[in-house]
Amino acid sequence: MAYRGLFTKHVSLWAAVVTAGRLPVAMAPLAFLFHGRGTDAGYGGGAAMAAAYALAEAVGAPLLSTRLRTRPYRREVAAGLGVSAAAFALLALLPAPGTALAVCLAALAGGAAAAAPGALRTMVEDLAPREHLHTALSLESTLNMAVWAASPALVSALALGVAPQAPFLLAAVAALAATASLWLLPDRTGAADGGRRAPLRQLLAAWPVYLTSAAAMYLLAGVELTLPALLEHRDLPVAHSGPILTGFALASILGGLVYGARTWPGTVERQSTLLLLVMIAGVAATAFAPAWPVIAGLLALTGLLQAAVLITRNLTLRERLPADLHPVGYSVLYAGSGVGYGVSAAATGVLLASVTPVTAVLVTTGAALLLTAVTWLGRRAPQRERSAPG
């Protein structure tokens, strides 16, 4: 089995760093809302903290990753995680930081560690045997999804059962644990001749991959935010939305493991496009599903494929960019995912206020299909240019 040959000492440590490093990110949005609910900041203040965290991540990821082109990864990532841990610790320990200070600390926590996901994804290229690289990236995707699936229950239990600030303390401990474990891994340094400026043209040439990521996250946000309204519109129990989304998350974890267990026919670009199209069709079909078990089954299928879409996206980007730009590219990909999710969330909110949930689902899937078509055309254009007679 592919995973059996993957788990060397260093890959196991890397997996622990990935898990600990992603836990604060997954906990943060809900933790900020519970913090606002339990303090004078209110839900508005909590939402402002969550927005500041996400925006700082989106801006910080590509900016900080450019430093990795000529600097040791371990030192840069450890410094970012350490600053993020300090910011979370201050949020946990300050008795009444005030909304403005809390928002600033949230932004610091998000921005400081924003380069870590891309750097860790690049580091595994040196740790895993080349024939097991797609398995390692599948493992990373599975770990991320498992952390995201477990975080809501973890945050709720701590915030409601202990204190509103308790999730921040766990986030700080997790970030520090990731920092300590990181020093047990072999270091990686960017190319010495990488230059001081990232080649923007090379990064922009991979735009179809970024757009694929945005399309996948646009679809995901539409699923999560429309499901309760869709169930209510069908006179189905709204309470089933939670278990259905849990099934979606568990299916995503399983999908990541299955994809990484073997190699699959076709190029990773074609796999990504085909799987995304099937995902779109599955979500669109939920608009016409008459019963909640049918909706649950369709979304479980969508979740099963989502992991493979994200993994093939990472592999495609790796093929498109030179090695010294991998952490920057992964970080741009990360930021693009956040943009796709955020735009979809805003658009879905507007749609649900003016049209039926069925129409909202169809508009969301239509937009995702349009983005997918644009990415396919963008990938075909260079091929036509190369095959054209000189």
Side-chain angles (χ1 to χ4, degrees):
M1 186 176 179
Y3 290 100
R4 189 176 303 156
L6 177 66
F7 278 100
T8 63
K9 173 186 174 182
H10 286 149
V11 172
S12 299
L13 281 170
W14 169 83
V17 174
V18 168
T19 303
R22 293 300 289 170
L23 186 60
V25 179
M27 292 175 60
L30 191 58
F32 290 133
L33 292 178
F34 273 114
H35 177 268
R37 174 184 177 274
T39 63
D40 293 338
Y43 282 116
M49 293 169 67
Y53 184 93
L55 181 61
E57 264 197 313
V59 174
L63 291 180
L64 293 178
S65 292
T66 58
R67 294 172 55 86
L68 299 175
R69 298 189 66 232
T70 56
R71 292 178 173 85
Y73 282 37
R74 213 165 47 181
R75 184 187 66 194
E76 295 291 318
V77 176
L81 287 170
V83 171
S84 182
F88 277 123
L90 288 173
L91 284 169
L93 300 176
L94 289 177
T99 302
L101 178 57
V103 168
C104 291
L105 289 173
L108 182 62
L120 290 171
R121 190 172 295 156
T122 305
M123 288 177 73
V124 79
E125 296 175 4
D126 292 340
L127 303 178
R130 185 175 182 83
E131 65 270 20
H132 291 303
L133 182 58
H134 87 285
T135 307
L137 293 177
S138 298
L139 174 64
E140 183 212 23
S141 177
T142 301
L143 292 173
N144 286 341
M145 291 175 184
V147 168
W148 277 94
S151 290
L154 189 59
V155 170
S156 299
L158 288 173
L160 299 177
V162 182
Q165 297 86 355
F168 296 142
L169 190 58
L170 177 60
V173 171
L176 288 175
T179 304
S181 301
L182 187 65
W183 291 102
L184 301 176
L185 293 175
D187 204 357
R188 174 173 178 149
T189 303
D193 59 350
R196 301 184 65 180
R197 294 179 57 192
L200 185 60
R201 180 176 297 179
Q202 287 180 298
L203 284 171
L204 293 180
W207 67 265
V209 189
Y210 310 139
L211 197 58
T212 297
S213 180
M217 296 309 292
Y218 190 97
L219 191 65
L220 175 60
V223 167
E224 293 182 344
L225 299 176
T226 309
L227 180 60
L230 180 64
L231 291 174
E232 186 174 14
H233 181 73
R234 294 287 185 202
D235 293 325
L236 300 172
V238 177
H240 288 353
S241 58
I244 290 174
L245 289 176
T246 299
F248 177 92
L250 293 176
S252 297
I253 295 171
L254 177 62
L257 291 173
V258 170
Y259 184 84
R262 52 159 292 181
T263 56
W264 300 87
T267 66
V268 288
E269 286 188 347
R270 289 180 179 177
Q271 291 173 14
S272 180
T273 301
L274 178 61
L275 292 171
L276 186 53
L277 288 173
V278 178
M279 280 181 62
I280 293 170
V283 174
T286 63
F288 307 102
W292 72 263
V294 179
I295 296 176
L298 288 168
L299 292 186
L301 172 63
T302 303
L304 193 69
L305 300 178
Q306 182 207 17
V309 169
L310 298 182
I311 297 162
T312 52
R313 171 204 67 178
N314 295 335
L315 290 168
T316 302
L317 186 69
R318 180 178 178 274
E319 293 177 353
R320 288 254 180 155
L321 295 178
D324 67 305
L325 285 180
H326 285 175
V328 187
Y330 288 140
S331 294
V332 174
L333 204 62
Y334 183 65
S337 296
V339 170
Y341 194 98
V343 170
S344 180
T348 301
V350 172
L351 286 170
L352 290 176
S354 54
V355 299
T356 67
V358 171
T359 303
V361 170
L362 295 178
V363 171
T364 297
T365 53
L369 181 61
L370 178 61
L371 292 174
T372 305
V374 172
T375 63
W376 183 80
L377 292 173
R379 290 167 179 167
R380 295 282 295 176
Q383 296 174 5
R384 287 196 299 267
E385 291 175 4
R386 287 193 296 267
S387 61

